[in-house]
Amino acid sequence: NMPDGTKCLPNTRFQKVWQIKNTGKLNWSKKFPIKVICVSGTILNNASFVTVADTKVNEITSISVDLIAPKYSGNFYSEWVLSCN
């Protein structure tokens, strides 16, 4: 996992991982699918969303996205939100 604010070389492929807890009242499953969706940013990614694994109420799951650092120097970001149908 690459912590926020990490410096890397241009065109470097890396993975960002978040651990989240299902604090709701429903299990996340095929009946109630959850996604993490990229809503904005300046870091390239291979997909606009990632499906979250089945997660029971009060359980923690890991979500990871593959990203690519831009070709030039600077400060960049990628903003993702949790979403259900």
Side-chain angles (χ1 to χ4, degrees), residues 66-79:
D66 294 321
L67 302 168
I68 304 168
K71 295 179 182 180
Y72 47 92
S73 299
N75 293 312
F76 303 94
Y77 74 99
S78 186
E79 185 175 357

Side-chain angles (χ1 to χ4, degrees), residues 17-85:
V17 180
W18 297 276
Q19 286 194 327
I20 60 170
K21 184 176 184 177
N22 179 354
T23 60
K25 296 179 181 178
L26 297 172
N27 293 334
W28 298 340
S29 65
K30 290 180 178 138
K31 282 186 167 183
F32 191 72
I34 301 294
K35 296 178 183 177
V36 178
I37 299 171
C38 183
V39 293
S40 68
T42 52
I43 298 175
L44 300 174
N45 58 312
N46 293 330
S48 59
F49 71 90
V50 174
T51 303
V52 178
D54 291 356
T55 308
K56 293 181 180 179
V57 172
N58 291 319
E59 282 188 348
I60 294 172
T61 189
S62 293
I63 301 167
S64 62
V65 294
D66 294 321
L67 302 168
I68 304 168
K71 295 179 182 180
Y72 47 92
S73 299
N75 293 312
F76 303 94
Y77 74 99
S78 186
E79 185 175 357
W80 297 74
V81 295
L82 203 59
S83 176
C84 67
N85 291 348

